C-alpha cells in the first residue's frame, strides 16, 4: 500500500454505509438512547387520565441507558459497520462473492462450501424481565431501517431496497421452517416485498429454503439480523436445533451479522460445540443478570430514574437514595422495578392521594399486579435464595447458587438439583430426550461421504444386475438389439410404401 493511500478507503463511496454513517456514531450514545416521556410536561397540573396514560408509557417507553446498554449498543453499531465495510458493493471481489452466493440457490444448507471470512455475531442472554429486547430495539431504532437506492453503475444495480436491520422471534416450536417464514414475513412487511407468498419458495424443504433466505437477506443488504426468544423449550440443540444452528453459521459466512438473544438455558445449546460458540459470539457475549443491590447500574442509574418518573401531584417523601427500598420490591429486575412504581402510583391515584408512600408500595406488591410466583421470583434474587428459583424451569438456579457462593462447583450444584427429584417414570418415553447433534464440520464431511457411497453402491448394483441378465433381456444388451432391430424394420416398411 502506498504511503498516501487511506487504509480505510473501502468505506469511501460505500452505498450501504453512507446513508447510516452518522447514525452509527457512538460519541453521544447516552443522550441519544435516553427517552423520557415526562420531558417538558407540567406534571403538577395534569388531569387524572393523563397521569394514568403516562404510567402506561413508563415500562414501554421510558429508557435510561445503563452502562450495559451503552456497551451493547456500541458493539452492535460496530458490528453493523464492519459488516457493511466487508460487503461494499462497489468493490469487484465483493460483487463476485454476492454472485457466487446467489448461484447456491437450489442447494441444501449442508452442501454449501465455506467462505474464508465471516461476519461477526453477538449473543445476549438473560432471564425474563431484564430488558434484553428493550435495549436492543431501542438501539436499532436509532438507525433508519429502510433505504431505497436508485441506479448505481458502481454497485451494478438498477435499483435496490436496503434493510439495515431485521428483528424476528424464534419460532415457538423451534423449527427452522417456522423461523425462515417469520424472516420472510418481516422482510416483506418492511421492504414491501412478497417473498412469503411465493409458493416456489415456501414449498421448498427447510434446508433449501434456508439457502434462499440467506441469498435474499444478502441481496437486500441486511445490516444485522436479530433473532430473539431462544428458549430451552424451543431451541433444545437436538436435530432440529442443530439445523437452526447451521443456518446461523451460514448467515455469518454469507457476511450477514447476527444477534442471538434468549434465555441462558436455550443458549446453552450453542455452547456444546466450540465452533458454534466462537462464531456466534465473535462480536460479544452480553450476559445479563438481575442487578444486585450495590451495582452501579442500579444504585446510580436505574433506581434514581425510576423514582424520578413521578406523575403524582406531589413528590413522594420516600428517601431511597441507595435504591434499597425499590430493590426490595423488584430484586434487581428492571421490569418489576417499573411495575411496582407504576402500580403504587395507580393505587394512590385511585385513592385520591397526592403522593405515594411505602404503604402504597407494600399494598401494590401484595395486590393483583404481582402473582404469588412472581413475588417468589423477586424474593429469590433479592434474598439470594436459589430454593425459591427452583420453581421456574427457565431460571438456571444452580448457576446462581454458584454465583452467590452457595455451591463451590457446578458439579455440586447439579448433584444437589437432582437429589431431590424422583427418577424418570416408566411411562415417560425416551423419545422426549433431545437428540444430540453433530458439529457442522462433521455434518458436511458425512454428507459428502454419503453421496460418494451412494454413487458407488448404485454403480455396483447396476453391474451386478447386468451380470445376471440374459443377453437378450431388454435391461442388458437386449435394449440395444431391440432398438437396432426396430430401426431396420422401419427402414423396410418405408421402402415398401414408396
Amino acid at each position: 500500500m502506498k504511503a498516501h493511500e487511506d487504509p480505510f478507503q473501502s468505506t469511501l463511496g460505500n452505498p450501504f454505509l453512507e446513508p447510516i454513517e452518522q447514525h452509527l456514531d457512538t460519541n453521544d450514545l447516552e443522550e441519544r438512547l435516553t427517552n423520557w416521556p415526562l420531558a417538558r410536561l407540567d406534571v403538577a397540573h395534569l388531569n387524572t387520565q393523563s397521569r394514568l396514560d403516562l404510567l402506561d408509557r413508563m415500562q414501554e417507553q421510558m429508557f435510561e441507558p445503563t452502562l450495559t446498554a451503552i456497551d451493547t449498543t456500541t458493539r452492535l453499531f460496530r458490528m453493523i459497520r464492519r459488516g457493511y465495510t466487508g460487503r461494499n458493493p462497489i468493490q469487484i471481489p465483493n460483487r463476485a462473492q454476492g454472485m457466487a452466493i446467489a448461484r447456491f440457490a437450489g442447494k441444501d444448507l449442508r452442501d454449501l462450501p465455506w467462505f474464508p471470512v465471516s461476519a461477526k455475531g453477538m449473543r445476549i442472554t438473560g432471564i425474563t424481565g431484564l430488558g434484553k429486547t428493550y435495549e436492543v430495539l431501542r438501539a436499532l431504532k436509532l438507525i433508519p431501517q429502510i433505504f431505497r437506492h436508485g441506479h448505481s453503475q458502481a454497485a451494478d444495480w438498477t435499483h435496490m431496497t436496503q434493510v439495515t436491520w431485521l428483528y424476528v422471534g424464534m419460532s415457538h416450536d423451534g423449527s427452522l421452517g417456522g423461523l425462515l417464514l417469520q424472516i420472510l414475513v418481516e422482510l416483506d412487511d418492511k421492504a414491501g416485498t412478497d417473498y412469503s407468498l411465493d409458493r416456489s419458495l415456501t414449498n421448498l424443504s427447510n434446508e433449501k429454503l434456508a439457502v434462499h433466505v440467506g441469498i435474499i437477506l444478502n441481496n437486500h443488504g441486511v445490516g444485522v439480523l436479530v433473532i430473539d426468544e431462544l428458549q430451552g423449550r424451543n431451541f433444545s440443540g437436538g436435530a432440529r436445533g442443530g439445523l437452526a444452528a447451521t443456518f446461523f453459521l451460514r448467515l455469518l459466512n454469507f457476511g450477514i451479522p447476527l444477534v442471538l438473544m434468549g434465555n441462558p438455558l436455550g443458549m446453552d445449546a450453542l455452547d456444546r460445540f466450540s465452533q458454534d460458540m466462537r462464531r456466534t459470539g465473535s462480536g460479544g457475549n452480553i450476559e445479563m443478570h438481575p442487578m444486585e443491590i450495590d451495582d452501579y447500574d442500579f444504585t446510580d442509574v436505574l433506581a434514581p430514574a425510576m423514582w424520578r418518573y413521578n406523575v403524582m401531584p406531589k413528590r413522594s417523601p420516600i428517601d431511597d437514595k441507595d435504591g434499597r427500598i425499590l430493590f426490595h420490591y423488584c430484586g434487581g429486575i428492571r421490569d418489576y422495578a417499573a411495575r411496582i412504581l407504576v402500580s403504587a402510583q395507580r393505587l394512590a391515584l385511585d385513592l385520591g392521594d397526592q403522593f405515594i408512600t411505602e404503604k402504597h408500595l407494600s399494598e401494590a406488591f401484595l395486590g393483583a399486579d404481582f402473582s404469588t410466583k412472581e413475588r417468589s421470583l423477586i424474593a429469590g434474587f433479592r434474598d439470594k435464595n436459589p430454593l425459591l428459583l427452583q420453581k421456574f424451569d427457565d431460571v438456571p438456579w444452580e448457576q446462581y447458587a454458584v454465583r452467590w457462593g452457595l455451591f463451590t462447583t457446578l458439579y455440586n450444584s447439579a448433584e444437589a438439583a437432582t437429589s431431590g427429584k424422583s427418577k424418570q417414570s416408566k411411562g415417560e418415553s425416551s423419545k422426549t430426550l433431545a437428540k444430540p447433534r453433530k458439529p457442522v464440520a462433521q455434518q458436511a464431511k458425512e454428507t459428502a461421504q454419503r453421496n460418494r457411497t451412494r454413487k458407488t453402491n448404485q454403480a455396483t448394483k447396476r453391474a451386478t444386475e447386468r451380470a445376471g441378465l440374459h443377453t437378450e433381456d431388454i435391461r442388458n444388451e437386449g435394449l440395444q438389439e431391440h432398438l437396432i432391430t426396430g430401426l431396420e424394420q422401419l427402414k423396410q416398411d418405408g421402402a415398401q410404401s414408396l
Side-chain angles (χ1 to χ4, degrees), residues 370-386:
F370 293 84
S371 69
T372 300
K373 293 196 72 172
E374 284 181 311
R375 288 190 283 268
S376 293
L377 180 66
I378 292 169
F381 284 105
R382 179 191 66 208
D383 304 332
K384 296 185 177 180
N385 184 350

Side-chain angles (χ1 to χ4, degrees), residues 224-240:
V224 64
L225 175 64
V226 179
I227 301 177
D228 200 355
E229 297 298 333
L230 268 73
Q231 308 291 342
R233 59 191 175 194
N234 68 4
F235 191 70
S236 63
R240 185 156 53 181

Side-chain angles (χ1 to χ4, degrees), residues 104-255:
F104 296 146
K107 297 284 188 180
D108 279 350
L109 190 65
R110 293 192 175 102
D111 291 337
L112 271 57
W114 292 92
F115 293 104
V117 179
S118 292
K120 294 290 186 181
M122 184 163 69
R123 307 194 321 177
I124 303 174
T125 61
I127 68 166
T128 184
L130 302 182
K132 302 182 297 295
T133 301
Y134 191 49
E135 289 191 1
V136 170
L137 286 178
R138 178 61 187 160
L140 290 173
K141 288 177 181 178
L142 298 180
I143 309 171
Q145 191 172 12
I146 300 295
F147 287 97
R148 301 190 187 278
H149 300 273
H151 177 266
S152 173
Q153 184 175 356
D156 194 29
W157 64 47
T158 55
H159 65 274
M160 190 266 191
T161 300
Q162 176 186 355
V163 182
T164 58
W165 58 271
L166 206 60
Y167 169 90
V168 297
M170 186 68 183
S171 54
H172 293 295
D173 62 355
S175 68
L176 177 60
L179 173 62
L180 296 174
L181 183 58
Q182 288 180 214
I183 292 174
L184 293 179
V185 169
E186 186 64 21
L187 182 63
D188 287 346
D189 180 63
K190 297 300 183 294
T193 52
D194 57 0
Y195 295 113
S196 62
L197 303 177
D198 187 348
R199 293 294 182 86
S200 65
L201 280 177
T202 57
N203 287 339
L204 293 172
S205 66
N206 287 344
E207 288 212 17
K208 286 184 169 62
L209 180 57
V211 176
H212 276 273
V213 169
I215 294 170
I216 290 170
L217 295 178
N218 188 62
N219 290 342
H220 282 281
V222 173
V224 64
L225 175 64
V226 179
I227 301 177
D228 200 355
E229 297 298 333
L230 268 73
Q231 308 291 342
R233 59 191 175 194
N234 68 4
F235 191 70
S236 63
R240 185 156 53 181
L243 190 58
T246 303
F247 173 62
F248 298 158
L249 297 185
R250 289 297 185 182
L251 287 182
L252 293 174
N253 196 233
F254 277 12

